[in-house]
Amino acid sequence: GRRVQFTPSIDNNCNSVGKVVLEITVDKSGKTISAVNSKDSTADNCLIELAIKYALKTKWKPSETAPEKQFGKITYNFSF
């Protein structure tokens, strides 16, 4: 339920297409502290690693009332 505060630009240097679904964990300050591949992904390993790299750089709006860790999903659809 949190809004994105910062989304890094993504360079698809894998030269492939596909969907990556990541399960993420965010702390109270809005930092993405973990990102792991979901079984719903249809992309190759290069895109999965790229998505994880950028998911960990994504910042969410801080929330003092949020639990210590919140869980959610991010979906990246890669094309070129």
Side-chain angles (χ1 to χ4, degrees):
R2 291 217 217 160
R3 299 202 184 266
V4 175
Q5 185 173 17
F6 171 77
T7 303
S9 60
I10 299 174
D11 294 323
N12 180 355
N13 57 3
C14 294
N15 296 319
S16 57
V17 297
K19 178 176 85 169
V20 179
V21 181
L22 300 177
E23 297 174 2
I24 63 165
T25 306
V26 178
D27 68 11
K28 280 182 150 189
S29 71
K31 180 179 178 184
T32 304
I33 56 176
S34 75
V36 295
N37 187 37
S38 164
K39 64 182 179 180
D40 298 322
S41 295
T42 61
D44 61 23
N45 284 338
C46 183
L47 287 178
I48 292 168
E49 290 176 17
L50 185 65
I52 290 171
K53 173 184 170 183
Y54 286 102
L56 292 172
K57 292 180 180 181
T58 300
K59 287 282 287 179
W60 305 87
K61 295 222 180 205
S63 174
E64 290 300 320
T65 60
E68 289 298 318
K69 293 180 182 177
Q70 283 187 300
F71 305 96
K73 289 186 179 184
I74 297 178
T75 301
Y76 293 96
N77 289 299
F78 290 98
S79 61
F80 38 150

